[in-house]
Amino acid sequence: MVNAFKSAVKYFKSFPDIRKDRKNSIALLGNPGAGKTHLLIAVANNLLNNGISVHYFPYREGFDEIKDNLDALEEKAQRMKDVDVLLIDDLFKRGATDFEVKTMYSIVNYRYLNHKPIMVSSEFLVDDLLEVDEALGSRIVEMTKDYLVEIVGDRRQLNHRLAN
Ligand SMILES: Nc1ncnc2c1ncn2[C@@H]1O[C@H](COP(=O)(O)OP(=O)(O)O)[C@@H](O)[C@H]1O
Ligand SMILES: [Mg+2]
């Protein structure tokens, strides 16, 4: 958790220097309740205050919405490709269909090729991400390598929801 916090702060501070690099992204992976979303939203708010646009995409809810209105898919995907920073919250929450992997890959790969940052939270660790889809997982790992934290350990200590 300390590492996740440090990494998030370092990421925000380094952002102006690294945003055009290949390794310009951050991933916080691991235990639910550890504060991954909390930290990434804090980074997003700071970026927004600096005039950088951030699109928040909650993976499960986002895809449920897309499936309810497939006509809007292209437009939504385009927005997720174009925005300065894309925050993918809870990647692969409740699994990943082929459609979801394919859609995510096209967005993430576009961003990779165009040096556009992503911020990712997931309960899946690196090995799990790669197991779901090697191509998508390895893109994400490559982009986030310098700011990639796996939060593992005692659930009670890590879980802010259970802390009090
Ligand atoms: N540093 C923190 N200080 C106080 N509350 C926090 C902190 N980090 C997270 N929380 C709270 O703990 C709960 C779990 O955090 P969350 O970011 O949702 O975890 P995760 O995304 O890792 O599952 C949320 O209610 C959140 O507001
Ligand atoms: Mg979360």
Side-chain angles (χ1 to χ4, degrees):
M1 204 42 229
V2 174
N3 286 343
F5 177 76
K6 277 191 183 157
S7 199
V9 173
K10 190 171 144 225
Y11 180 72
F12 171 69
K13 286 190 177 154
S14 313
F15 187 85
D17 298 327
I18 61 157
R19 64 181 294 186
K20 299 287 178 203
D21 296 350
R22 268 275 144 81
K23 296 185 177 61
N24 56 9
S25 301
I26 181 168
L28 305 182
L29 310 177
N31 289 39
K36 303 181 298 294
T37 299
H38 181 91
L39 281 172
L40 292 184
I41 293 201
V43 173
N45 282 332
N46 281 285
L47 292 174
L48 287 165
N49 286 338
N50 284 274
I52 291 147
S53 62
V54 181
H55 182 98
Y56 178 74
F57 183 72
Y59 179 84
R60 177 49 46 218
E61 297 79 357
F63 269 116
D64 287 349
E65 216 174 275
I66 284 172
K67 280 172 207 161
D68 285 345
N69 184 7
L70 276 176
D71 290 344
L73 172 62
E74 209 166 312
E75 191 193 318
K76 276 190 181 160
Q78 197 57 48
R79 248 186 292 142
M80 289 166 72
K81 288 175 178 172
D82 288 338
V83 70
D84 291 339
V85 176
L86 176 66
L87 198 179
I88 305 164
D89 196 22
D90 244 330
L91 177 68
F92 298 153
K93 181 179 182 178
R94 293 204 285 278
T97 64
D98 288 349
F99 168 78
E100 288 164 7
V101 169
K102 199 169 145 243
T103 305
M104 244 10 309
Y105 183 80
S106 105
I107 292 164
V108 168
N109 194 48
Y110 177 92
R111 299 190 64 87
Y112 170 82
L113 294 172
N114 290 283
H115 298 238
K116 285 169 154 285
I118 56 174
M119 302 200 284
V120 181
S121 89
S122 181
E123 287 175 21
F124 288 59
L125 301 179
V126 170
D127 286 351
D128 309 318
L129 295 177
L130 293 171
E131 203 167 303
V132 173
D133 189 74
E134 173 97 35
L136 174 57
S138 57
R139 273 288 183 266
I140 291 172
V141 172
E142 187 175 351
M143 294 170 82
T144 61
K145 218 169 220 160
D146 291 346
Y147 303 89
L148 191 157
V149 184
E150 292 189 318
I151 307 163
V152 285
D154 185 332
R155 267 175 191 266
R156 254 169 321 156
Q157 274 180 21
L158 288 167
N159 199 325
H160 285 282
R161 289 186 194 115
L162 301 176
N164 305 303

